[in-house]
Short mmCIF file of all heavy atoms in Angstrom, two decimals:
data_model
loop_
_atom_site.label_atom_id
_atom_site.label_comp_id
_atom_site.label_asym_id
_atom_site.label_seq_id
_atom_site.Cartn_x
_atom_site.Cartn_y
_atom_site.Cartn_z
N LEU A 736 153.34 99.79 -30.69
CA LEU A 736 154.78 99.84 -30.69
C LEU A 736 155.36 98.84 -31.71
O LEU A 736 154.80 97.75 -31.84
CB LEU A 736 155.32 99.46 -29.32
CG LEU A 736 154.81 100.33 -28.17
CD1 LEU A 736 155.29 99.68 -26.78
CD2 LEU A 736 155.33 101.77 -28.27
N PHE A 738 158.75 96.93 -32.41
CA PHE A 738 160.12 96.52 -31.99
C PHE A 738 160.89 95.93 -33.06
O PHE A 738 160.30 95.01 -33.79
CB PHE A 738 160.02 95.56 -30.79
CG PHE A 738 159.57 96.22 -29.47
CD1 PHE A 738 158.21 96.33 -29.21
CD2 PHE A 738 160.44 96.63 -28.52
CE1 PHE A 738 157.83 96.84 -28.03
CE2 PHE A 738 160.08 97.15 -27.32
CZ PHE A 738 158.73 97.30 -27.04
N ALA A 747 164.36 86.50 -27.25
CA ALA A 747 164.84 87.67 -26.52
C ALA A 747 163.68 88.44 -25.94
O ALA A 747 163.79 89.23 -24.97
CB ALA A 747 165.68 88.61 -27.42
N PHE A 748 162.45 88.39 -26.59
CA PHE A 748 161.31 89.07 -26.12
C PHE A 748 160.56 88.31 -24.99
O PHE A 748 159.67 88.85 -24.38
CB PHE A 748 160.32 89.36 -27.29
CG PHE A 748 160.82 90.38 -28.25
CD1 PHE A 748 160.96 90.07 -29.62
CD2 PHE A 748 161.16 91.68 -27.79
CE1 PHE A 748 161.39 90.98 -30.51
CE2 PHE A 748 161.57 92.64 -28.73
CZ PHE A 748 161.78 92.26 -30.06
N ASN A 749 160.94 87.09 -24.69
CA ASN A 749 160.27 86.26 -23.70
C ASN A 749 160.24 86.93 -22.35
O ASN A 749 159.15 87.12 -21.79
CB ASN A 749 160.96 84.92 -23.50
CG ASN A 749 160.57 83.91 -24.65
OD1 ASN A 749 159.83 84.28 -25.58
ND2 ASN A 749 161.05 82.73 -24.58
N LEU A 750 161.34 87.31 -21.79
CA LEU A 750 161.41 87.88 -20.45
C LEU A 750 160.70 89.25 -20.38
O LEU A 750 159.77 89.44 -19.51
CB LEU A 750 162.83 87.98 -19.95
CG LEU A 750 162.96 88.62 -18.54
CD1 LEU A 750 162.33 87.69 -17.46
CD2 LEU A 750 164.41 88.95 -18.15
N PRO A 751 161.01 90.18 -21.30
CA PRO A 751 160.28 91.48 -21.26
C PRO A 751 158.76 91.24 -21.30
O PRO A 751 158.04 91.92 -20.59
CB PRO A 751 160.78 92.16 -22.48
CG PRO A 751 162.09 91.61 -22.78
CD PRO A 751 162.05 90.19 -22.32
N LEU A 752 158.29 90.37 -22.15
CA LEU A 752 156.89 90.10 -22.27
C LEU A 752 156.26 89.56 -21.00
O LEU A 752 155.19 89.96 -20.52
CB LEU A 752 156.52 89.20 -23.48
CG LEU A 752 156.69 89.87 -24.87
CD1 LEU A 752 156.54 88.84 -25.97
CD2 LEU A 752 155.69 91.02 -25.07
N LEU A 754 157.38 89.91 -17.99
CA LEU A 754 157.33 90.98 -16.91
C LEU A 754 156.28 91.99 -17.25
O LEU A 754 155.61 92.51 -16.32
CB LEU A 754 158.75 91.63 -16.83
CG LEU A 754 159.91 90.67 -16.42
CD1 LEU A 754 161.25 91.44 -16.45
CD2 LEU A 754 159.64 90.08 -15.02
N SER A 755 156.05 92.32 -18.48
CA SER A 755 155.05 93.29 -18.84
C SER A 755 153.65 92.81 -18.74
O SER A 755 152.70 93.60 -18.50
CB SER A 755 155.26 93.84 -20.31
OG SER A 755 156.46 94.56 -20.41
N TYR A 761 156.40 95.03 -12.65
CA TYR A 761 156.68 95.81 -13.87
C TYR A 761 155.38 96.41 -14.50
O TYR A 761 155.50 97.36 -15.17
CB TYR A 761 157.39 94.91 -14.93
CG TYR A 761 158.81 94.68 -14.59
CD1 TYR A 761 159.20 93.74 -13.63
CD2 TYR A 761 159.84 95.46 -15.24
CE1 TYR A 761 160.50 93.55 -13.34
CE2 TYR A 761 161.17 95.28 -14.86
CZ TYR A 761 161.49 94.29 -13.86
OH TYR A 761 162.80 94.11 -13.61
N MET A 849 158.61 92.64 -33.42
CA MET A 849 157.41 92.46 -32.57
C MET A 849 156.50 93.72 -32.74
O MET A 849 156.96 94.84 -32.86
CB MET A 849 157.85 92.34 -31.12
CG MET A 849 156.65 92.35 -30.15
SD MET A 849 157.13 91.76 -28.49
CE MET A 849 157.94 93.19 -27.80
N GLU A 862 154.64 100.39 -19.46
CA GLU A 862 154.68 99.09 -18.81
C GLU A 862 155.28 98.09 -19.81
O GLU A 862 155.96 97.11 -19.39
CB GLU A 862 153.28 98.66 -18.42
CG GLU A 862 152.75 99.39 -17.23
CD GLU A 862 151.27 99.26 -16.97
OE1 GLU A 862 150.54 98.91 -17.84
OE2 GLU A 862 150.81 99.66 -15.87
N ILE A 863 155.16 98.30 -21.08
CA ILE A 863 155.79 97.40 -22.06
C ILE A 863 157.30 97.67 -22.13
O ILE A 863 158.05 96.83 -22.33
CB ILE A 863 155.09 97.63 -23.49
CG1 ILE A 863 153.63 97.34 -23.49
CG2 ILE A 863 155.89 96.77 -24.55
CD1 ILE A 863 153.21 95.92 -23.56
N LEU A 864 157.59 98.97 -21.94
CA LEU A 864 159.03 99.38 -22.07
C LEU A 864 159.88 99.10 -20.85
O LEU A 864 161.10 98.86 -20.90
CB LEU A 864 159.13 100.86 -22.41
CG LEU A 864 158.49 101.31 -23.70
CD1 LEU A 864 158.68 102.81 -23.92
CD2 LEU A 864 158.97 100.58 -24.91
N ALA A 865 159.23 99.02 -19.65
CA ALA A 865 159.97 99.00 -18.43
C ALA A 865 161.00 97.88 -18.36
O ALA A 865 162.13 98.13 -17.90
CB ALA A 865 158.96 98.88 -17.25
N PRO A 866 160.72 96.64 -18.80
CA PRO A 866 161.70 95.56 -18.65
C PRO A 866 162.97 95.78 -19.43
O PRO A 866 163.97 95.13 -19.14
CB PRO A 866 160.97 94.36 -19.19
CG PRO A 866 159.54 94.66 -19.09
CD PRO A 866 159.44 96.19 -19.33
N TYR A 867 162.98 96.63 -20.42
CA TYR A 867 164.19 96.86 -21.22
C TYR A 867 165.25 97.61 -20.47
O TYR A 867 166.39 97.82 -20.96
CB TYR A 867 163.86 97.52 -22.59
CG TYR A 867 162.97 96.63 -23.40
CD1 TYR A 867 161.57 96.70 -23.29
CD2 TYR A 867 163.52 95.62 -24.19
CE1 TYR A 867 160.80 95.80 -24.00
CE2 TYR A 867 162.77 94.67 -24.93
CZ TYR A 867 161.37 94.81 -24.76
OH TYR A 867 160.59 93.92 -25.44
N THR A 868 164.97 98.03 -19.26
CA THR A 868 165.96 98.61 -18.41
C THR A 868 166.93 97.52 -17.92
O THR A 868 168.08 97.99 -17.47
CB THR A 868 165.27 99.36 -17.21
OG1 THR A 868 166.24 100.13 -16.50
CG2 THR A 868 164.66 98.39 -16.21
N ILE A 869 166.61 96.34 -17.97
CA ILE A 869 167.42 95.20 -17.44
C ILE A 869 168.61 95.02 -18.24
O ILE A 869 169.76 94.73 -17.75
CB ILE A 869 166.62 93.89 -17.28
CG1 ILE A 869 165.43 94.12 -16.40
CG2 ILE A 869 167.51 92.77 -16.78
CD1 ILE A 869 164.37 92.95 -16.51
N GLY A 870 168.48 95.03 -19.55
CA GLY A 870 169.55 94.59 -20.46
C GLY A 870 169.90 93.13 -20.14
O GLY A 870 171.07 92.77 -19.98
N HIS A 871 168.83 92.33 -20.25
CA HIS A 871 169.02 90.85 -19.85
C HIS A 871 169.91 90.24 -20.96
O HIS A 871 169.98 90.61 -22.11
CB HIS A 871 167.68 90.18 -19.69
CG HIS A 871 166.85 89.99 -20.96
ND1 HIS A 871 166.50 91.08 -21.72
CD2 HIS A 871 166.34 88.90 -21.52
CE1 HIS A 871 165.73 90.66 -22.74
NE2 HIS A 871 165.65 89.35 -22.63
N LEU A 885 171.03 92.68 -23.86
CA LEU A 885 170.19 93.37 -24.89
C LEU A 885 170.17 94.88 -24.61
O LEU A 885 169.61 95.33 -23.60
CB LEU A 885 168.81 92.76 -24.90
CG LEU A 885 167.84 93.22 -25.95
CD1 LEU A 885 168.34 92.86 -27.35
CD2 LEU A 885 166.44 92.74 -25.75
N MET A 886 170.70 95.65 -25.51
CA MET A 886 170.77 97.11 -25.31
C MET A 886 169.67 97.81 -26.04
O MET A 886 169.53 97.66 -27.27
CB MET A 886 172.16 97.67 -25.82
CG MET A 886 172.28 99.13 -25.65
SD MET A 886 173.93 99.71 -26.34
CE MET A 886 174.97 99.31 -24.97
N PRO A 887 168.86 98.63 -25.41
CA PRO A 887 167.82 99.40 -26.07
C PRO A 887 168.53 100.57 -26.78
O PRO A 887 169.24 101.34 -26.22
CB PRO A 887 166.93 99.91 -24.91
CG PRO A 887 167.62 99.52 -23.67
CD PRO A 887 168.87 98.80 -23.88
N VAL A 903 167.97 96.37 -29.39
CA VAL A 903 166.53 96.40 -29.68
C VAL A 903 166.18 97.86 -29.84
O VAL A 903 166.63 98.73 -29.08
CB VAL A 903 165.70 95.74 -28.61
CG1 VAL A 903 165.89 96.36 -27.23
CG2 VAL A 903 164.24 95.70 -28.96
N ASN A 904 165.39 98.19 -30.85
CA ASN A 904 164.88 99.52 -30.90
C ASN A 904 163.37 99.48 -31.01
O ASN A 904 162.76 98.44 -31.31
CB ASN A 904 165.48 100.40 -32.02
CG ASN A 904 164.78 100.25 -33.32
OD1 ASN A 904 164.98 99.36 -34.08
ND2 ASN A 904 163.83 101.14 -33.60
N CYS A 905 162.72 100.55 -30.57
CA CYS A 905 161.27 100.56 -30.45
C CYS A 905 160.68 101.89 -30.92
O CYS A 905 161.18 102.98 -30.48
CB CYS A 905 160.86 100.30 -29.01
SG CYS A 905 159.08 100.45 -28.76
N PHE A 922 163.37 104.94 -27.20
CA PHE A 922 164.66 104.76 -26.47
C PHE A 922 165.54 106.00 -26.65
O PHE A 922 166.72 105.96 -26.33
CB PHE A 922 165.33 103.48 -26.82
CG PHE A 922 164.61 102.24 -26.39
CD1 PHE A 922 164.43 101.13 -27.18
CD2 PHE A 922 163.96 102.20 -25.11
CE1 PHE A 922 163.74 100.02 -26.84
CE2 PHE A 922 163.26 101.07 -24.77
CZ PHE A 922 163.12 99.95 -25.57
N TYR A 926 167.08 108.94 -20.03
CA TYR A 926 167.00 107.80 -19.12
C TYR A 926 167.71 106.58 -19.82
O TYR A 926 168.49 105.87 -19.22
CB TYR A 926 165.58 107.36 -18.79
CG TYR A 926 165.55 106.09 -17.99
CD1 TYR A 926 165.75 106.18 -16.59
CD2 TYR A 926 165.36 104.85 -18.57
CE1 TYR A 926 165.80 105.05 -15.85
CE2 TYR A 926 165.41 103.75 -17.79
CZ TYR A 926 165.57 103.77 -16.45
OH TYR A 926 165.65 102.64 -15.67
N TRP A 927 167.46 106.40 -21.14
CA TRP A 927 168.03 105.18 -21.79
C TRP A 927 169.47 105.40 -22.13
O TRP A 927 170.19 104.39 -22.41
CB TRP A 927 167.19 104.86 -23.01
CG TRP A 927 165.79 104.54 -22.66
CD1 TRP A 927 164.69 105.40 -22.78
CD2 TRP A 927 165.30 103.32 -22.07
NE1 TRP A 927 163.54 104.70 -22.27
CE2 TRP A 927 163.91 103.49 -21.84
CE3 TRP A 927 165.86 102.11 -21.70
CZ2 TRP A 927 163.08 102.45 -21.32
CZ3 TRP A 927 165.09 101.11 -21.19
CH2 TRP A 927 163.73 101.31 -20.97
N VAL A 930 170.87 103.75 -19.22
CA VAL A 930 170.71 102.26 -19.37
C VAL A 930 171.79 101.77 -20.25
O VAL A 930 172.37 100.69 -20.06
CB VAL A 930 169.27 101.92 -19.88
CG1 VAL A 930 169.19 100.44 -20.31
CG2 VAL A 930 168.29 102.27 -18.86
N ARG A 931 172.01 102.48 -21.37
CA ARG A 931 173.00 101.99 -22.37
C ARG A 931 174.37 101.91 -21.76
O ARG A 931 175.12 100.99 -22.00
CB ARG A 931 173.04 102.95 -23.57
CG ARG A 931 171.90 102.69 -24.45
CD ARG A 931 171.99 103.50 -25.81
NE ARG A 931 171.45 104.88 -25.72
CZ ARG A 931 170.19 105.20 -25.89
NH1 ARG A 931 169.30 104.24 -26.25
NH2 ARG A 931 169.83 106.48 -25.81
N LYS A 933 175.03 101.31 -18.57
CA LYS A 933 174.94 100.12 -17.66
C LYS A 933 175.05 98.80 -18.46
O LYS A 933 175.69 97.87 -18.10
CB LYS A 933 173.53 100.20 -16.94
CG LYS A 933 173.35 99.45 -15.74
CD LYS A 933 171.96 99.66 -15.14
CE LYS A 933 170.88 99.14 -16.02
NZ LYS A 933 169.60 98.85 -15.40
N VAL A 934 174.32 98.80 -19.61
CA VAL A 934 174.42 97.57 -20.44
C VAL A 934 175.76 97.34 -21.02
O VAL A 934 176.24 96.23 -21.16
CB VAL A 934 173.30 97.69 -21.53
CG1 VAL A 934 173.42 96.53 -22.56
CG2 VAL A 934 171.90 97.67 -20.92
#
Side-chain angles (χ1 to χ4, degrees):
L736 303 173
F738 286 87
F748 290 122
N749 282 1
L750 179 67
L752 287 173
L754 298 175
S755 292
Y761 284 79
M849 173 165 78
E862 289 164 344
I863 302 278
L864 300 181
Y867 295 90
T868 192
I869 300 168
H871 67 304
L885 185 65
M886 181 183 280
V903 60
N904 88 276
C905 174
F922 294 138
Y926 177 80
W927 298 101
V930 170
R931 285 186 275 271
K933 198 178 66 160
V934 172

